Each structure stands twice: as C-alpha cells, then as structure tokens.
Amino acid sequence: MKKKIVINNRNDYNRFVKKLFIYKSILYKNVFFELENILEDENIDYLIKGLNIKNRKKRIDFIYDMCCFIIDNKNTSINICGFVNNQCFVQRKNKNQECNGCCRKCIYQTSKGCSSKNLACKLFNCSEVKKRFETLSDKDLPLLKLLSLKNRLIVKSDYFSLREDVLKDLYCYSFIVSTIRIIFRLMKNMFLNGR
C-alpha cells in the first residue's frame, strides 16, 4: 500500500529538509511526497520529484541532469569566464598564449566548447570568476542531498570526464572502484595532453 507525505507549509518544509537523509532511504520506498502549492521555491519541487523517483539509477540521472540544468540556466545569459577569441579573462590579463581557460587541459574541449556534461566542471570556478560573479556551489544545490556521501564526493571531484563515465561512477556501490576509475581517467587525460 502506497503512503503519501504532504508538505503544506514552511514548518512542514523545514521538517522535511531535516529528514531528507531518512526519506531517501529504502524505508520510504512506498511513500510518495506531495507539495501543496504554497511554497515558492524551485528547490523543493526538485527535491520532491527526486524523492518520488524510486529507481536508484533513474534518481541519480535526474539529480545529475537537473543540477547541470540549474547551473547552465543561471549562467546562460552571461559569459562568466570572460571569453574573447577563446581566451578567458585571466589568460588575456596575463597576456599568455593559452586558450580555453581552465578547460584547456581537458580532452573533451572542442572549438565549440565542452562536448561533455560534467557536473564537477560546472561547479568549478576560478578565483577570478568568484570575484566577479555570484556563482553556485554544491551547497546551493539542495538536490545533491539526495545522493549518498560517496556520490557527493564523486560529483565534486570527477573532473574532465564524460557524463556517462561520471554516472557509472555514481551507480557503482564501491567507493574504491569509483576512485580507481576516476584516477585512471585523470591519468589518461594527462597522458593525452602530454602528447
């Protein structure tokens, strides 16, 4: 029998957020969450949608893609890196010959930008960007609380990888196996960049 938890007001919301670690567990597999339209907060909508996805892989996919969407949506209309002729603000300021800013060492960087959808890369901003713009960090994405601690660490550190590879790391139950995969990809990236 399916049960339902309804969030009606700000107090319900505050209790809900405090209990996220319990609500994402298997104990609530047959519980569905519902929001009465009284709170004007996109994050609660995303949290409820995420909790209502009971399949682990589908939930991870949703969280990953939605966090990428939130970051992209915030940065869509602005050029936070200050790119002009493929050089970021810092590269132009230092008058060096490098291109593509912090992404210059990534094997997935193309002349049209990034061909990967990597959440760790989207969350990274150099100190110059942080000085000039209000950027999002993992703490600004409550949806990440629906991931395990292992998966939150992976999301914050799995740079220069394709979306599919990051998702495989997130699906994996073993932190050791995920770490080995990440290190292997970083070494491969360094080798290919050293050519």
Side-chain angles (χ1 to χ4, degrees):
M1 183 165 89
K2 294 188 178 185
K3 296 180 183 176
K4 186 166 67 170
I5 292 179
V6 179
I7 297 148
N8 289 311
N9 54 47
R10 185 57 68 181
N11 288 337
D12 287 350
Y13 172 72
N14 292 337
R15 276 189 302 251
F16 171 76
V17 171
K18 287 179 186 172
K19 293 183 177 184
L20 272 180
F21 70 97
I22 296 172
Y23 290 152
K24 67 182 182 180
S25 73
I26 196 151
L27 298 172
Y28 286 82
K29 184 176 176 135
N30 293 319
V31 175
F32 283 84
F33 299 86
E34 194 174 290
L35 176 66
E36 296 291 326
N37 287 330
I38 49 131
L39 298 171
E40 294 181 24
D41 185 355
E42 284 183 336
N43 290 321
I44 186 72
D45 289 336
Y46 299 145
L47 285 170
I48 287 180
K49 283 179 188 172
L51 282 172
N52 285 335
I53 299 171
K54 302 305 180 181
N55 177 287
R56 181 176 178 269
K57 286 184 178 182
K58 287 180 182 176
R59 181 184 284 179
I60 290 171
D61 287 352
F62 171 80
I63 293 166
Y64 188 91
D65 291 338
M66 189 54 66
C67 287
C68 286
F69 170 78
I70 291 167
I71 294 168
D72 288 344
N73 198 36
K74 180 176 178 8
N75 298 330
T76 279
S77 61
I78 52 175
N79 178 5
I80 63 172
C81 295
F83 281 114
V84 174
N85 297 327
N86 292 329
Q87 284 193 310
C88 72
F89 178 79
V90 173
Q91 289 168 333
R92 288 194 322 278
K93 182 174 143 184
N94 294 337
K95 297 181 182 174
N96 63 33
Q97 300 304 311
E98 294 176 336
C99 291
N100 298 327
C102 299
C103 302
R104 69 189 174 279
K105 297 204 178 238
C106 180
I107 60 177
Y108 301 109
Q109 182 64 29
T110 69
S111 60
K112 294 179 181 175
C114 183
S115 62
S116 154
K117 187 176 175 182
N118 187 299
L119 186 53
C121 294
K122 289 178 185 293
L123 284 168
F124 176 80
N125 291 290
C126 73
S127 57
E128 186 62 38
V129 169
K130 288 179 184 175
K131 266 195 281 184
R132 296 170 66 218
F133 295 98
E134 184 181 320
T135 59
L136 292 176
S137 73
D138 59 309
K139 292 177 179 69
D140 299 316
L141 299 169
L143 197 51
L144 290 177
K145 291 180 183 176
L146 297 183
L147 295 176
S148 67
L149 178 60
K150 171 201 91 96
N151 283 356
R152 285 190 301 246
L153 290 171
I154 288 170
V155 159
K156 291 192 286 187
S157 60
D158 205 346
Y159 296 100
F160 306 137
S161 299
L162 291 173
R163 173 189 180 272
E164 295 74 22
D165 289 329
V166 177
L167 288 174
K168 284 179 187 173
D169 295 335
L170 296 174
Y171 299 154
C172 181
Y173 285 101
S174 168
F175 186 68
I176 294 169
V177 172
S178 295
T179 303
I180 291 169
R181 286 175 42 83
I182 292 168
I183 291 170
F184 174 76
R185 280 196 309 277
L186 285 174
M187 290 173 58
K188 175 181 156 191
N189 198 23
M190 285 173 31
F191 174 76
L192 291 174
N193 271 313
R195 290 184 292 178

